[in-house]
Amino acid sequence: MAKSAPKLDPRGRKVKILATVGPASRSPEMLARLFKAGVDAFRVNMSHGEHADHAQTIETIRTLEKRFMRPIAILADLQGPKLRVGKFKDGQAVIRHSGHFTLDRNPEPGDDTRVELPHPELFGLLDKGQRLLINDGKIRLRVIRADENEILCSAEVGGVISDRKGVNVPDAEVPIPALTDKDRKDLAFAMAQGVDWIGLSFVQRPEDLAEARKLMGGYGALCAKIEKPMAVHRLDEIIDMSDGIMVARGDLGVELEPQEVPPLQKKIVNATRLKGKPVIVATQMLESMIESPAPTRAEVSDVANAVYDGADCVMLSAETAAGDWPEEAVTIMHKIARQVETDEAYLDRVRFLDTPPDATTADALAHACMTVADTVPISAITVFTGSGSTARRVARERPSVPMLVLTPSMKTARRLGLLWGAHAVATKDIGSFEEMIAKGKRMALRHGFSAAGSKLIALAGVPFGTPGSTNLMHVVTVSGDELDKHGG
């Protein structure tokens, strides 16, 4: 007799947890512990590590999938272009507060008055009064004069500057593509490894997604990281061009004033939700847990607010990649999400954003699922889908009950690991109405979403197997013996 898979109950929450893999978490033992603690998807950060390490990580996650019989999403996060200053004679220099400092095209090592900026595309681009931020904004320069060879600045905030520190240009659209040669190699590697999502960094305009789309050739799903203020000006177009959005608050917090980030986060979450695409809130969510076994109260509130806002997914970065308490960070994030979602005011909060259905049968039925679940005691919505689009439509409505997504495509099941409320199961396709109802009942029982006497909503399209044909909603009652009749 085949050995049964370990029992892994539904998470008991609708928001998803995305955890970054790194030195602290890439061992098979720790990845298993993180998954059992509540991780729904893993982020592989292509900015660090070698392809061989990432390949081993991906293989380990796929082994976990087989062990627990649950699809797991993997997001490969591309580094994107990095603007950096050149080198200094002594490895570092000191920029005086209110003093002048020049960025130029001279490759000679820098000093307290100047340094090379090895990015010719920035010269002639900047205007008087625009800002340059160095070393994550610790040094703040204001442009006095800029030409084809020099950018003379006044130091609003000076300090120590050292070799190859990063440069942010918040007030201008930088004319460089979002994909570097390294990114193209990393993208080819990630696709060969079978990852489910690609995270694209340094997105400033919708055109930045076009090259990635072309290279992907219809493969996988593309997540645009919103980390540049310029991207916000064309946010709706970027959302249309992508399959999901990440609110990358770290870089946004460098290029914007701190107080500007929270309302912008809410704006991005709402705009993405309106389009029915998953949105991830990322960066510094439980930052203190890199070193501490418990988060600060402010961090708990930060995670809770993202859940209240209806984000599909919350992300852990260094907390799980390099921190001392990776499992504890996942556990507390899981607990915060569950606590918020049991708040009687939660549904009102996430539905405060009005998401009117489009004038399509599929959208009307997805909206009806929410209404029926609010009116009748329903235990789950079973969604039959090939591409995942029906599941996204239902999730957009933020129904009060979980969504059991049944799909013949493992790729679709994995991709839904970032979607609010979706518990995806890869299973054989159905061929008739009767088979759909019977399978929906069995799967709901098998995966812990129903019991004897409970009601389910079944949502599907007829004819079966035809993309975009969602046209059927049915409410059924589970007798409780469906598994016994089917032989388990």
Side-chain angles (χ1 to χ4, degrees):
M1 178 179 283
K3 187 178 180 181
S4 61
K7 175 68 172 171
L8 192 67
D9 293 327
R11 298 297 192 194
R13 56 173 159 76
K14 298 183 177 73
V15 72
K16 298 300 181 72
I17 295 176
L18 172 64
T20 304
V21 182
S25 54
R26 68 164 54 103
S27 72
E29 297 76 19
M30 182 55 78
L31 286 171
R33 285 163 59 186
L34 296 185
F35 182 62
K36 286 191 283 186
V39 170
D40 301 287
F42 287 101
R43 169 178 173 252
V44 177
N45 187 356
M46 304 306 294
S47 298
H48 307 288
E50 302 298 325
H51 281 181
D53 296 328
H54 297 320
Q56 184 59 55
T57 295
I58 293 166
E59 182 182 346
T60 302
I61 294 168
R62 293 307 183 214
T63 301
L64 278 180
E65 264 188 343
K66 295 171 184 172
R67 175 181 168 191
F68 289 102
M69 307 256 325
R70 177 177 288 185
I72 306 173
I74 300 175
L75 183 147
D77 197 336
L78 305 180
Q79 176 176 291
K82 297 293 181 184
L83 304 177
R84 300 184 186 278
V85 299
K87 294 187 176 183
F88 292 86
K89 291 174 183 174
D90 300 318
Q92 65 178 38
V94 177
I95 299 177
R96 290 184 299 107
H97 294 292
S98 302
H100 285 182
F101 190 79
T102 300
L103 300 158
D104 58 36
R105 301 177 69 169
N106 180 0
E108 294 294 319
D111 55 29
D112 291 350
T113 64
R114 59 153 297 276
V115 73
E116 180 193 12
L117 183 61
H119 300 284
E121 60 275 1
L122 294 180
F123 293 88
L125 171 72
L126 298 174
D127 295 322
K128 181 180 178 180
Q130 292 184 326
R131 295 168 296 160
L132 284 166
L133 311 176
I134 300 174
N135 193 13
D136 291 334
K138 294 182 177 67
I139 292 174
R140 294 174 171 258
L141 307 179
R142 183 80 62 172
V143 176
I144 298 173
R145 183 184 70 252
D147 59 32
E148 295 296 332
N149 296 302
E150 291 186 346
I151 303 170
L152 175 64
C153 302
S154 172
E156 292 187 341
V157 179
V160 177
I161 180 173
S162 54
D163 293 347
R164 305 286 297 154
K165 285 301 181 186
V167 178
N168 291 80
V169 187
D171 302 326
E173 185 176 299
V174 182
I176 58 175
L179 285 168
T180 65
D181 288 342
K182 170 179 164 53
D183 294 327
R184 293 184 189 92
K185 292 173 184 174
D186 289 343
L187 175 57
F189 163 81
M191 291 168 60
Q193 290 292 316
V195 306
D196 311 294
W197 285 83
I198 299 294
L200 187 63
S201 300
F202 210 85
V203 174
Q204 299 181 94
R205 50 200 164 249
E207 292 81 6
D208 287 332
L209 289 96
E211 184 184 1
R213 282 280 189 211
K214 184 177 180 181
L215 291 172
M216 290 168 71
Y219 172 92
L222 184 59
C223 178
K225 295 168 62 180
I226 306 299
E227 53 192 348
K228 308 289 292 179
M230 287 296 139
V232 181
H233 300 317
R234 302 180 68 181
L235 182 61
D236 286 340
E237 295 172 83
I238 289 171
I239 295 171
D240 286 339
M241 286 282 289
S242 66
D243 299 299
I245 294 291
M246 181 187 293
V247 189
R249 305 181 306 174
D251 283 286
L252 276 176
V254 171
E255 300 204 1
L256 295 170
E257 295 298 326
Q259 69 274 11
E260 295 178 293
V261 177
L264 185 56
Q265 172 180 317
K266 292 180 184 294
K267 176 181 178 178
I268 297 169
V269 169
N270 287 349
T272 311
R273 282 187 54 195
L274 280 171
K275 298 291 179 78
K277 295 181 179 182
V279 56
I280 306 162
V281 175
T283 323
Q284 296 179 329
M285 301 215 78
L286 297 175
E287 184 83 354
S288 68
M289 290 195 73
I290 295 171
E291 298 176 346
S292 169
T296 67
R297 300 297 179 267
E299 289 167 340
V300 172
S301 292
D302 180 40
V303 174
N305 277 322
V307 179
Y308 275 120
D309 287 342
D312 292 77
C313 188
V314 284
M315 188 178 106
L316 293 165
S317 300
E319 299 96 331
T320 51
D324 295 332
W325 307 92
E327 186 177 0
E328 289 77 5
V330 173
T331 299
I332 191 64
M333 186 169 265
H334 171 72
K335 288 180 177 178
I336 295 166
R338 288 197 61 165
Q339 186 71 40
V340 168
E341 292 182 10
T342 57
D343 180 1
E344 60 185 18
Y346 169 67
L347 268 184
D348 289 337
R349 288 282 300 273
V350 297
R351 291 182 185 170
F352 183 76
L353 175 71
D354 187 25
T355 54
D358 296 335
T360 66
T361 301
D363 258 33
L365 288 176
H367 184 75
C369 283
M370 178 195 72
T371 305
V372 171
D374 286 348
T375 308
V376 179
I378 296 290
S379 63
I381 301 168
T382 55
V383 177
F384 295 81
T385 181
S387 67
S389 64
T390 304
R392 289 191 296 274
R393 290 175 188 274
V394 174
R396 180 172 174 256
E397 301 294 330
R398 298 300 190 251
S400 57
V401 299
M403 180 170 47
L404 176 60
V405 184
L406 305 178
T407 176
S409 167
M410 177 58 89
K411 290 180 180 179
T412 296
R414 287 169 173 164
R415 195 181 300 182
L416 294 174
L418 299 182
L419 184 68
W420 187 95
H423 180 102
V425 176
T427 182
K428 292 179 182 177
D429 208 353
I430 50 175
S432 68
F433 177 81
E434 292 77 13
E435 187 182 353
M436 176 190 79
I437 298 303
K439 173 164 277 194
K441 289 180 179 181
R442 292 196 307 272
M443 289 295 181
L445 283 169
R446 187 172 295 152
H447 291 272
F449 285 96
S450 67
S454 62
K455 295 183 185 299
L456 298 170
I457 297 174
L459 186 66
V462 178
F464 297 105
T466 304
S469 66
T470 303
N471 58 8
L472 182 152
M473 184 182 77
H474 196 68
V475 180
V476 299
T477 301
V478 178
S479 64
D481 61 354
E482 284 85 356
L483 287 175
D484 296 332
K485 289 179 179 178
H486 194 256

